[in-house]
Amino acid sequence: MIATSRKYIFDFDSTLTRVEALDVLAEMTLKDNPKKDEILQEIQNITNLGIDGEISFTESLERRIRLLNAHKSDLNDLITELRQKISKSIEENMDFFHSHSDDIYVISCGFKEFIDPIVEEFNIPSERVYANTFTFDGDGAIVGFDRENVLSSHNGKIQCLKDLNLEGEVQVIGDGYSDYVMREAGIADKFFAYTENVHRDKAANNADYVTPNLNEFLFVNDLPRKISYPKNRIKILLLEGVHPDALQRLSDEGFTVELLKHALPEDELIERIKGVHVLGIRSKTQVTKKVLEAADRLMVVAAFCIGTTQIDLDAAKKNGVVVFNAPYSNTRSVVELAIGQIIMLKRSIFARSTEIHKGQWFKTALNAQEVRGKNLGIVGYGNIGKQLSVLAEAIGMHVYYYDVADQLALGNATKCSTLEELLSISDVVTLHIDDNKANKNFIGKEEIAQMKDGAMLINLSRGFVVDIPALAEALKSGKVGGAAIDVYPEEPRSNGDFTTELAGLENVILTPHIGGSTEEAQRDIADFVPNKIMDYINSGNTVDAVNFPNIRLPKQKNAHRFLHIHNNVPGVMAKINELLAKYDMNITGQFLSTDPDVGYVITDLDKEYNTDIIKELKAIEHTIKFRVLY
């Protein structure tokens, strides 16, 4: 339980609030001053010199007040502004301040006139707030400060804390020099460098703990807090140059994120994956069974792309690792490229372009046709196939489609009952099928033979679905009139040399797996995938998970959430509920989803409970992973 002999000493500026109050006051009082920016910069420089101990606090205070040109009447507006500037994690954890207010003190070099009204809402009374006070002239202008107040002097916090003579362990939470010197002076037991709002190297280098938010401080001290596990302790590794927006979004959420521009081979990834909670990849990184078994804390693998063949989905599931991808985010990009390739192939644009590059001029209509009125055969009528269907029809093509699943036609598209039927009537065949291993050589010699003579083939799906030697032979013979290939059976891990049998063939467009590689698509992926990561980490949601039972959960309201992943065998659910009953847990909601391999049960419970139950839930036979959210 919580140690009753602890005392917590909080700084105010840049700790309880996100700002330095005197800087905010300066912004207000100097708003009409033509030299506003210059004076503000000077005030901030003086503030930083004082915080870092480069000049005495007394000097810092004197110089700033002279520049402020502030009045007593400005303080009400300042207080209103400061109420909007409470530090995010401080505001989230008001319960801590209310339940432990007897042990909390504010010692600040700021001023009681604006600190008292703010911390009163934290349930901290004025008598436990130690700060400076302003002096005013007869007109109410702020002209100075009470020089008798110990906090107006250099290292005044040391003397203030010494005079309090507090019993028990004393912990100081702040962001600057005047905070950590209390520990250095031996009158505080621990110093927590609070870096949520500003990171000061001197404070961090002299801290017992660097505290990115209040949740971390509360976690270290095993105190009541808003969330069960501080987000800064959740490590995310992003590989292959994932869009920087993803890094920003996840960092802003409070996670610790590392971004590498390249893929990692298996042996390196096995080493780097230790201690990582979330792995973000694109198409080149192979997340094998060995990698997953070496991952001691991994909860999520996030594919910032559509395909997931680079991930051992079964091994991930057996290790309780949820896999997300981005099945929709680059749909438009792929579709636009397909439309462009259709037109380029039908007009023999690349042949004419190559001739011009060689200095030749061959103005001709030979092998140049409009796409209007031509038959487009779409193999795979999913998200991409459907959108392509609509755009192709809009430019006058007749659309036919084939899919192993029963798909509703959009517009005037015609469903083909067999692949052979589609191949036999299509002037252009475009492939948009999934990465099921059964689709290897889906288009081979036999299928090419079923195509119309001179028809064209586009593959923007998976490299292994087309028999490349068979296609090369058909292109050389003229059976296939042209091709656009973006994906290949074997692709290099990084930029460099690449060979294919299709290189050098006329009317063949070759691109290096860039179907979804547009700035817009990468931004969309960088928005979609982090949302899935955060939904799972923060609430347990598995909607759109590739390898896991999908559960959409309501938001928690004043409750704990137990998340239990287990092998899908009889009796586990009964055992869970038996333990909940044994510990008199009041269930407010319970959600279960299973697939043939795993079960995922989420239980929402009243806030107070005996923590011994956690050990017993983890010890249930067939448990894969268990965690608590609140």
Side-chain angles (χ1 to χ4, degrees):
M1 290 299 292
I2 300 158
T4 55
S5 59
R6 276 197 205 127
K7 304 297 179 188
Y8 309 105
I9 313 299
F10 279 87
D11 183 30
F12 182 77
D13 292 305
S14 297
T15 299
L16 293 180
T17 62
R18 304 194 299 270
V19 293
E20 294 288 324
L22 290 186
D23 291 351
V24 176
L25 182 59
E27 287 272 3
M28 297 164 57
T29 59
L30 297 168
K31 63 181 179 181
D32 297 322
N33 191 312
K35 294 185 176 181
K36 173 189 169 184
D37 292 341
E38 181 184 327
I39 299 171
L40 285 176
Q41 187 59 58
E42 187 176 353
I43 288 173
Q44 288 171 5
N45 290 341
I46 295 169
T47 298
N48 289 330
L49 288 171
I51 288 171
D52 288 338
E54 301 295 328
I55 62 174
S56 74
F57 177 72
T58 307
E59 181 186 348
S60 167
L61 203 53
E62 286 173 343
R63 289 169 60 181
R64 282 182 288 163
I65 287 178
R66 280 200 301 269
L67 293 167
L68 278 175
N69 192 29
H71 190 274
K72 196 175 206 174
S73 60
D74 295 317
L75 295 178
N76 286 334
D77 289 339
L78 173 62
I79 291 164
T80 299
E81 187 70 19
L82 292 177
R83 285 196 173 108
Q84 309 304 314
K85 305 288 187 183
I86 304 299
S87 298
K88 181 182 176 184
S89 68
I90 299 284
E91 198 164 33
E92 288 174 347
N93 286 284
M94 282 296 182
D95 285 352
F96 161 71
F97 290 95
H98 282 267
S99 61
H100 290 74
S101 63
D102 290 345
D103 300 317
I104 296 173
Y105 295 77
V106 175
I107 298 181
S108 171
C109 294
F111 290 82
K112 282 181 71 70
E113 284 87 350
F114 56 74
I115 295 176
D116 276 358
I118 301 298
V119 302
E120 182 182 13
E121 297 171 14
F122 293 30
N123 201 32
I124 302 173
S126 179
E127 57 265 27
R128 283 201 291 280
V129 176
Y130 296 85
N132 284 293
T133 54
F134 289 119
T135 56
F136 308 90
D137 66 13
D139 295 325
I142 297 174
V143 294
F145 51 92
D146 178 9
R147 292 176 179 273
E148 298 300 314
N149 188 327
V150 67
L151 287 164
S152 70
S153 61
H154 190 57
N155 286 340
K157 285 188 177 183
I158 294 175
Q159 190 59 49
C160 179
L161 185 55
K162 190 179 291 184
D163 292 344
L164 284 174
N165 195 27
L166 298 176
E167 294 182 0
E169 181 180 278
V170 176
Q171 298 188 357
V172 174
I173 306 96
D175 67 290
Y177 166 84
S178 63
D179 302 305
Y180 71 74
V181 292
M182 288 187 272
R183 197 277 314 268
E184 284 189 345
I187 54 171
D189 298 286
K190 291 178 182 174
F191 169 61
F192 291 79
Y194 195 80
T195 61
E196 180 173 354
N197 306 305
V198 60
H199 187 288
R200 303 187 191 279
D201 289 339
K202 280 191 175 182
N205 293 339
N206 287 278
D208 296 288
Y209 297 95
V210 175
T211 309
N213 49 64
L214 191 66
N215 288 304
E216 172 69 15
F217 167 77
L218 298 175
F219 179 82
V220 168
N221 283 300
D222 195 24
L223 290 163
R225 54 196 177 274
K226 174 72 173 179
I227 57 175
S228 50
Y229 194 71
K231 290 180 183 178
N232 57 280
R233 288 178 173 250
I234 295 176
K235 296 181 180 179
I236 299 179
L237 176 62
L238 302 178
L239 304 179
E240 302 184 58
V242 165
H243 196 282
D245 282 3
L247 170 66
Q248 190 64 50
R249 293 208 62 204
L250 294 166
S251 298
D252 288 347
E253 183 71 9
F255 301 121
T256 298
V257 189
E258 181 181 7
L259 177 65
L260 299 180
K261 291 184 177 180
H262 53 276
L264 292 176
E266 184 182 62
D267 56 340
E268 287 186 37
L269 187 55
I270 284 172
E271 287 303 311
R272 294 296 292 269
I273 202 73
K274 291 178 174 63
V276 170
H277 298 84
V278 179
L279 175 65
I281 62 168
R282 294 177 71 184
S283 57
K284 292 175 182 174
T285 301
Q286 301 298 306
V287 185
T288 63
K289 182 180 179 183
K290 284 184 179 180
V291 170
L292 291 160
E293 288 175 348
D296 52 351
R297 295 192 178 182
L298 195 63
M299 295 190 288
V300 177
V301 173
F304 285 74
C305 55
I306 294 178
T308 55
T309 52
Q310 71 277 38
I311 305 165
D312 189 326
L313 297 177
D314 288 337
K317 183 194 294 185
K318 288 173 184 174
N319 284 277
V321 176
V322 181
V323 176
F324 294 105
N325 67 339
Y328 320 113
S329 300
N330 63 5
T331 298
R332 178 71 184 199
S333 298
V334 175
V335 168
E336 286 190 5
L337 181 58
I339 290 289
Q341 289 175 334
I342 291 167
I343 295 171
M344 295 265 205
L345 289 172
K346 295 303 289 181
R347 292 292 299 274
S348 297
I349 294 297
F350 268 73
R352 301 292 83 81
S353 176
T354 300
E355 291 158 2
I356 287 287
H357 277 287
K358 292 179 179 179
Q360 300 169 358
W361 185 270
F362 188 49
K363 187 177 186 303
T364 178
L366 183 66
N367 295 325
Q369 302 170 341
E370 291 183 352
V371 299
R372 180 178 52 176
K374 303 302 186 295
N375 293 342
L376 174 65
I378 300 174
V379 182
Y381 205 61
N383 298 312
I384 293 173
K386 284 186 171 74
Q387 192 169 143
L388 176 58
S389 173
V390 172
L391 292 188
E393 193 173 307
I395 59 174
M397 300 191 80
H398 302 303
V399 177
Y400 298 84
Y401 72 91
Y402 169 74
D403 199 299
V404 293
D406 191 18
Q407 300 281 5
L408 180 67
L410 297 184
N412 296 311
T414 301
K415 179 180 179 180
C416 294
S417 56
T418 65
L419 176 63
E420 183 177 0
E421 179 189 352
L422 179 138
L423 294 173
S424 67
I425 60 175
S426 298
D427 299 300
V428 181
V429 176
T430 179
L431 306 177
H432 303 285
I433 59 181
D434 63 28
D435 52 9
N436 190 320
K437 292 178 181 178
N439 288 329
K440 183 175 181 182
N441 290 341
F442 189 85
I443 300 295
K445 275 189 178 182
E446 183 179 342
E447 289 74 26
I448 290 172
Q450 294 166 359
M451 293 173 65
K452 289 175 67 174
D453 290 346
M456 295 168 173
L457 179 69
I458 295 173
N459 184 18
L460 289 162
S461 60
R462 306 291 182 267
F464 60 80
V465 304
V466 174
D467 183 338
I468 296 296
L471 175 61
E473 183 181 328
L475 285 161
K476 290 172 184 175
S477 71
K479 170 64 181 175
V480 174
I485 304 297
D486 184 54
V487 287
Y488 308 86
E490 298 291 334
E491 297 180 1
R493 289 178 178 268
S494 58
N495 293 338
D497 295 336
F498 176 68
T499 59
T500 173
E501 292 178 56
L502 302 175
L505 297 181
E506 189 172 328
N507 211 22
V508 175
I509 303 171
L510 301 177
T511 49
H513 202 151
I514 56 169
S517 297
T518 62
E519 293 177 4
E520 293 86 353
Q522 294 309 306
R523 279 197 299 270
D524 286 346
I525 291 170
D527 180 61
F528 182 87
V529 177
N531 280 340
K532 293 301 169 185
I533 294 170
M534 292 186 286
D535 279 351
Y536 180 65
I537 298 294
N538 295 339
S539 70
N541 271 325
T542 53
V543 175
D544 294 325
V546 177
N547 67 329
F548 237 71
N550 277 211
I551 296 184
R552 186 185 301 276
L553 296 161
K555 288 186 177 180
Q556 292 163 273
K557 291 185 178 179
N558 201 35
H560 288 275
R561 177 166 284 173
F562 287 178
L563 300 99
H564 194 279
I565 301 169
H566 54 271
N567 295 319
N568 188 13
V569 297
V572 176
M573 189 71 184
K575 185 62 177 174
I576 290 171
N577 285 331
E578 181 184 315
L579 283 173
L580 295 174
K582 172 185 170 183
Y583 281 88
D584 295 321
M585 303 291 283
N586 184 28
I587 299 174
T588 59
Q590 195 166 53
F591 312 87
L592 170 68
S593 186
T594 63
D595 68 15
D597 302 307
V598 301
Y600 182 39
V601 60
I602 297 94
T603 308
D604 286 351
L605 307 122
D606 277 350
K607 252 195 161 183
E608 299 304 321
Y609 66 93
N610 185 334
T611 55
D612 289 344
I613 191 175
I614 293 175
K615 292 179 183 177
E616 294 202 42
L617 286 168
K618 287 180 177 179
I620 292 175
E621 190 177 2
H622 302 296
T623 296
I624 298 173
K625 268 190 172 68
F626 174 84
R627 64 187 176 114
V628 179
L629 284 178
Y630 58 83

